[in-house]
Amino acid sequence: MLESYEEHHVADVLCMELWSMEPDDERFDAKTTVLIESVRHHMDEEEQEWFPTVREGLGRNQLQEIGAKMIELKKSAPRKPSQPSALKKAIDALIS
């Protein structure tokens, strides 16, 4: 669980750093590559380890309720790192 949290933390920090950079910055491509590799690794872990465990522990109805709630919350989710809630999350990640 803590590893998963840290992977989200790294992605938040990299997104914020990339947001403040120009594509021709010297480290832009390297940061983008690290972000892509980290997110792919995280997705693989979730799909192979977390999702099967969650499916075993929760019933179909609970999973559908969670899915419906996520779809609803997606409408108000930040779309850019500069949005207030995303910015706060990134700043908290940097100072933690």
Side-chain angles (χ1 to χ4, degrees):
M1 186 65 148
L2 290 176
E3 179 184 344
S4 178
Y5 178 82
E6 291 302 327
E7 288 171 352
H8 278 257
H9 170 83
V10 168
D12 290 340
V13 171
L14 287 172
C15 284
M16 191 62 176
E17 289 175 352
L18 285 166
W19 181 258
S20 68
M21 298 173 79
E22 295 295 327
D24 60 351
D25 285 346
E26 180 181 30
R27 297 172 66 192
F28 187 89
D29 288 344
K31 284 185 185 294
T32 302
T33 300
V34 169
L35 176 62
I36 291 168
E37 290 172 354
S38 177
V39 169
R40 284 185 177 152
H41 165 78
H42 185 77
M43 289 170 51
D44 287 344
E45 280 185 338
E46 285 182 340
E47 290 171 356
Q48 294 171 12
E49 298 170 25
W50 284 92
F51 293 171
T53 302
V54 170
R55 280 188 200 102
E56 286 178 24
L58 300 176
R60 185 174 186 84
N61 287 341
Q62 253 185 310
L63 289 172
Q64 288 176 335
E65 289 172 12
I66 292 169
K69 180 77 172 173
M70 289 177 74
I71 289 169
E72 187 62 32
L73 290 171
K74 184 177 178 182
K75 295 173 187 173
S76 61
R79 299 279 188 250
K80 297 186 267 183
S82 62
Q83 288 177 279
S85 60
L87 182 58
K88 180 186 179 325
K89 186 176 178 185
I91 290 169
D92 289 347
L94 288 170
I95 61 174
S96 297

